[in-house]
Amino acid sequence: MYNKRKKKQPVGSCESCVNYAYDQEYEEYVCMIDLDEDEYYRFLNEPNYACPYFKLDDEYAVVRKQN
């Protein structure tokens, strides 16, 4: 199940996460983690919610491994 991101989530948290990906079916970016009901409520309603599934999207990790 996909969880759509609401606009009130602070910029910079989801946009730099590995789990935040473009879904062609919805034609928008969505969170790929299947949050339970409590987590989803906090995600939408708490402005300073720290997502436990956040993982920084490090595009250069593969390049550093090759060197």
Side-chain angles (χ1 to χ4, degrees), residues 33-64:
I33 299 295
D34 190 17
L35 301 174
D36 68 19
E37 187 175 331
D38 294 332
E39 290 173 326
Y40 192 60
Y41 176 81
R42 280 184 294 232
F43 176 75
L44 295 177
N45 295 308
E46 294 181 13
N48 296 324
Y49 176 66
C51 181
Y53 304 105
F54 177 82
K55 188 173 183 182
L56 185 61
D57 185 15
D58 187 5
E59 298 174 3
Y60 298 105
V62 174
V63 174
R64 282 194 299 272

Side-chain angles (χ1 to χ4, degrees):
M1 179 179 176
Y2 296 103
N3 296 315
K4 291 186 180 182
R5 181 181 167 275
K6 295 291 184 184
K7 298 289 184 212
K8 62 174 32 177
Q9 186 70 14
V11 175
S13 59
C14 291
E15 286 80 5
S16 60
C17 182
V18 172
N19 300 314
Y20 190 62
Y22 188 78
D23 186 309
Q24 292 182 348
E25 183 178 331
Y26 289 118
E27 296 182 351
E28 63 184 24
Y29 283 88
V30 295
C31 180
M32 303 304 283
I33 299 295
D34 190 17
L35 301 174
D36 68 19
E37 187 175 331
D38 294 332
E39 290 173 326
Y40 192 60
Y41 176 81
R42 280 184 294 232
F43 176 75
L44 295 177
N45 295 308
E46 294 181 13
N48 296 324
Y49 176 66
C51 181
Y53 304 105
F54 177 82
K55 188 173 183 182
L56 185 61
D57 185 15
D58 187 5
E59 298 174 3
Y60 298 105
V62 174
V63 174
R64 282 194 299 272
K65 273 188 162 181
Q66 291 175 350
N67 291 332

